[in-house]
Amino acid sequence: MLRRGWLRWLALLLAIAALPARADIKVTIEGVDGDERLNMLTRLSVERYRERAGVDEDTMRRLANRIDEEVKDALRPFGYYEPTVAYDYRATGKDWQVAIAVKLGEPVRIRELKIAVEGPGADDSAFDVVKKQDQLRVGSRLNHGSYEDVKGAMTRIAASNGYLAAQLLRTNMVVDVAAHSASIDLAIDTGPRYHFGKVDIEQSVIRPGLMQRFLRFREGDPYSAEQVLRTQFALDDSLYFADVLVDAGEPDAQALTVPIHITANRNHPTFSIGGGYGTDTQIRGTLSWTDSLVNDRGHRFRAAITASAITREIDLRYDVPIGDPALERMSMEFINGYQEPGGLETTTTILRPSVTQMYGHWQTVTSVSATRTTTRGGTDPSFTSNLLVPGIAFASVPKNFLGEELFSRTFYAELIGSHSALGSDSNFIQLHLQSDRSFDLNYQWHLLLRGEVGVSLVDHFSELPGIYRFFAGGDRSVRGFGYDDLSPKDANGDPIGGRNLLVGSVEIVRDIPWNLALATFYDVGNAFDNFRHPLLESAVGVGVRYRLPGVALGIDVAKPVSEPNSKLRLHLNISPKL
């Protein structure tokens, strides 16, 4: 038995020894960068063989012989029809070194360009996006990908806007390599425009009138695939339905109509539990119960309990849909909470009726908050305030917005106030502005700008409850400082909040492979009492981002500039995907 065991081990060792030695191929490329380089790496055989074992000299020679033609094939779609390619390969131990040098040469440029929309839809503004496109321009370098993009856009726009019989008439691209020029002629015949036909709805979940208000189209409207999809999203997001399907039927070529069939089944109340960790809030958890369909009029009710190291809150909310039920509602909310902003402790009870409405690309929320709050901490004695606080908020929303939560606000403004004439214990008026913007510098580099301004006019600041005071510092404010650590301080050195707020951030993000990105940023800001002499703190830092669908998760490390002796601080970052 022992002998047979040794024989098995000996056979295994001989088999391993018989495996071919690994020989990596390392490719270096000079003279080409960006998309052109990526396309080269995709087409090069030596790159595909890069981690194969047992690449001998004969195999390497065959791979090298393909380099010239493969490089030229890879560069032609970018308008480089006459590149000069030099290459060399050599063995270094078990590995192969391949060096490729490319001179791109003079590119082919567009000399003539015609993009025409013909037929009944010739004057439809939906086609302006291709008529005014800038991917293809006279004098610009020819790019086959841009040509295909524009050609595809013409057919997609036609189909999406009801021109279901549209046909491309001309798709000509003629290249004169010797003259380094190209002529492009694209034309589409839209054919007749189809309209929405009969809308058949099978559901007994909500009242028919409420269901009709969710539709983004009406029978007889010009057919639009986008509006069919938006209707699907609106019904999904309502949470009234466990499943819903908005289906376009077969087009009727005689009547020029497209029938729509909608089916939906009732959703049921849900209970959820969640937890997490934030560098601002530390450990946090949530318990919630939601009945998204209290009755067939579409009323909703939600109860939630949230808690963290610095906050505790019970939130009860009842919503009644009005107007466009996907976007507009009347709400009644009850909140009882405890929080520790800066060096204060506040206990708050709020009863807040509100109305949410849409005006074009603006969402408005008008509310009146009956508030009872107790503020403790600081050198001033604790005090309790009873306030009636009317307010109005404006937020810009993106095109095709359907009421979903926004990770960032292009622009947000809130105006609130109170007065003794309303029976309140404190007189104040407060304006709060926020804005987030992102810009693509190119396909790899992005610029993020963030700003926040707060202004308070108050008779006696010491009587202003902590929930209406401004603080700065933390993940979404001035990184490098603790959450709500920045504001005027009392005699004990604890932050007690300020009348005003000023925060700004500049961040540059560089995409790298594997859905990752690197960021560097500069944050500045503080909460203070006097705009004439604001003391602004600042910090710099770096971070890494991991891209998920629609959102980026990241970690930032920041160092205060205005406090050189302070330590590095770690921040979690959740931001919209660029």
Side-chain angles (χ1 to χ4, degrees):
M1 295 292 293
L2 182 62
R3 182 181 178 186
R4 283 198 295 271
W6 277 106
L7 288 174
R8 283 196 293 269
W9 279 107
L10 180 60
L12 178 60
L13 290 173
L14 290 174
I16 294 175
L19 290 174
R22 185 179 183 84
D24 289 341
I25 300 175
K26 299 179 180 179
V27 180
T28 60
I29 299 174
E30 295 181 359
V32 180
D33 203 356
D35 291 339
E36 292 87 344
R37 178 188 177 89
L38 291 176
N39 202 43
M40 280 179 53
L41 292 174
T42 301
R43 289 177 174 264
L44 283 169
S45 298
V46 288
E47 180 67 17
R48 292 196 297 273
Y49 273 69
R50 187 166 54 88
E51 295 183 356
R52 291 197 183 184
V55 178
D56 56 26
E57 187 171 356
D58 287 342
T59 301
M60 194 65 232
R61 185 182 301 111
R62 290 196 299 272
L63 295 176
N65 289 338
R66 304 175 187 173
I67 290 176
D68 184 80
E69 190 59 35
E70 288 174 342
V71 168
K72 291 178 178 178
D73 286 344
L75 295 176
R76 198 170 293 122
F78 300 95
Y80 297 105
Y81 278 69
E82 296 180 310
T84 301
V85 183
Y87 62 89
D88 184 30
Y89 66 94
R90 65 186 63 188
T92 56
K94 295 181 180 180
D95 297 333
W96 291 97
Q97 300 284 346
V98 179
I100 303 173
V102 179
K103 292 183 179 180
L104 294 173
E106 184 178 350
V108 171
R109 298 190 178 276
I110 299 174
R111 182 184 61 194
E112 296 180 354
L113 176 64
K114 296 178 181 178
I115 298 178
V117 179
E118 302 176 9
D123 297 326
D124 193 328
S125 60
F127 290 98
D128 287 349
V129 67
V130 292
K131 294 177 181 178
K132 299 176 181 179
Q133 59 79 36
D134 59 2
Q135 288 182 275
L136 302 176
R137 301 187 310 277
V138 173
S140 66
R141 174 164 53 90
L142 177 64
N143 187 302
H144 292 205
S146 297
Y147 166 81
E148 293 295 335
D149 287 346
V150 174
K151 183 172 69 173
M154 296 175 77
T155 57
R156 285 195 303 274
I157 291 171
S160 296
N161 289 276
Y163 300 100
L164 305 183
Q167 292 184 336
L168 288 170
L169 298 178
R170 297 184 298 278
T171 57
N172 302 322
M173 181 173 67
V174 179
V175 177
D176 186 338
V177 177
H180 301 101
S181 66
S183 298
I184 294 176
D185 184 9
L186 290 172
I188 188 171
D189 182 353
T190 67
R193 191 172 195 179
Y194 284 64
H195 291 71
F196 283 104
K198 181 183 178 182
V199 181
D200 182 27
I201 301 176
E202 294 183 20
Q203 66 89 29
S204 57
V205 179
I206 59 177
R207 295 186 177 188
L210 178 59
M211 187 71 175
Q212 287 290 335
R213 283 155 50 198
F214 273 101
L215 304 187
R216 307 292 106 176
F217 56 84
R218 293 290 181 268
E219 184 175 345
D221 289 349
Y223 177 78
S224 168
E226 178 184 354
Q227 299 309 322
V228 173
L229 191 60
R230 293 191 68 226
T231 299
Q232 176 77 57
F233 289 157
L235 293 170
D236 283 336
D237 293 347
S238 73
L239 301 181
Y240 295 156
F241 310 104
D243 55 80
V244 60
L245 177 63
V246 182
D247 185 39
E250 285 294 324
D252 186 332
Q254 299 297 321
L256 297 178
T257 59
V258 180
I260 302 295
H261 186 68
I262 301 175
T263 56
N265 296 301
R266 181 190 177 102
N267 203 355
H268 298 284
T270 58
F271 173 80
S272 65
I273 181 171
Y277 181 87
T279 45
D280 284 347
T281 60
Q282 301 180 40
I283 296 175
R284 62 176 181 263
T286 302
L287 292 173
S288 68
W289 185 84
T290 303
D291 187 351
S292 58
L293 192 63
V294 174
N295 52 45
D296 63 0
R297 294 187 294 275
H299 295 192
R300 302 182 183 90
F301 176 73
R302 181 178 185 270
I305 301 174
T306 60
S308 72
I310 59 174
T311 62
R312 293 185 292 276
E313 183 177 274
I314 299 174
D315 187 345
L316 309 177
R317 180 169 180 150
Y318 194 90
D319 293 329
V320 178
I322 60 174
D324 183 340
L327 300 169
E328 300 177 311
R329 62 182 176 270
M330 291 192 304
S331 303
M332 179 63 74
E333 189 171 20
F334 172 82
I335 300 172
N336 180 266
Y338 167 85
Q339 57 181 302
E340 299 176 8
L344 302 179
E345 297 179 10
T346 62
T347 302
T348 306
T349 301
I350 301 175
L351 183 65
R352 179 191 296 133
S354 64
V355 177
T356 301
Q357 295 175 291
M358 291 292 298
Y359 298 95
H361 293 296
W362 292 92
Q363 181 191 66
T364 68
V365 181
T366 307
S367 64
V368 177
S369 299
T371 303
R372 179 179 176 84
T373 180
T374 299
T375 302
R376 307 177 186 87
T379 56
D380 294 326
S382 63
F383 62 94
T384 298
S385 299
N386 296 299
L387 304 173
L388 192 64
V389 185
I392 185 168
F394 296 87
S396 63
V397 297
K399 183 181 178 182
N400 296 331
F401 174 72
L402 286 173
E404 63 271 18
E405 289 291 330
L406 299 175
F407 284 105
S408 64
R409 292 163 164 169
T410 302
F411 181 79
Y412 173 83
E414 182 183 36
L415 180 66
I416 61 173
S418 188
H419 195 272
S420 58
L422 301 174
S424 298
D425 297 335
S426 180
N427 299 330
F428 76 96
I429 186 169
Q430 188 175 91
L431 177 65
H432 191 191
L433 306 175
Q434 291 177 286
S435 182
D436 292 358
R437 297 295 301 272
S438 62
F439 304 90
D440 294 329
L441 303 179
N442 60 31
Y443 73 101
Q444 288 182 319
W445 291 89
H446 314 281
L447 174 65
L448 280 67
L449 302 177
R450 172 168 52 85
E452 187 174 5
V453 178
V455 180
S456 300
L457 300 177
V458 56
D459 285 347
H460 304 287
F461 181 74
S462 62
E463 298 177 0
L464 186 66
I467 61 170
Y468 296 118
R469 300 184 186 185
F470 288 116
F471 294 84
D475 298 346
R476 290 291 296 167
S477 182
V478 184
R479 288 164 286 190
F481 295 88
Y483 178 64
D484 285 353
D485 276 356
L486 298 181
S487 84
K489 296 177 172 55
D490 62 13
N492 298 324
D494 295 324
I496 58 172
R499 297 170 184 259
N500 309 307
L501 176 72
L502 191 61
V503 171
S505 177
V506 178
E507 183 170 320
I508 296 178
V509 180
R510 170 65 155 84
D511 293 337
I512 59 176
W514 306 296
N515 288 330
L516 294 172
L518 299 177
T520 182
F521 56 85
Y522 175 78
D523 292 350
V524 61
N526 206 341
F528 47 88
D529 289 329
N530 193 330
F531 267 105
R532 294 179 181 177
H533 306 288
L535 175 61
L536 299 182
E537 305 285 359
S538 59
V540 297
V542 296
V544 62
R545 309 280 183 267
Y546 180 67
R547 305 293 178 76
L548 296 171
V551 67
L553 304 179
I555 297 177
D556 293 333
V557 179
K559 177 72 168 65
V561 175
S562 52
E563 296 183 5
N565 296 326
S566 60
K567 297 181 180 180
L568 296 173
R569 180 175 285 271
L570 189 70
H571 296 272
L572 298 181
N573 186 295
I574 301 177
S575 58
K577 182 180 177 181
L578 295 176

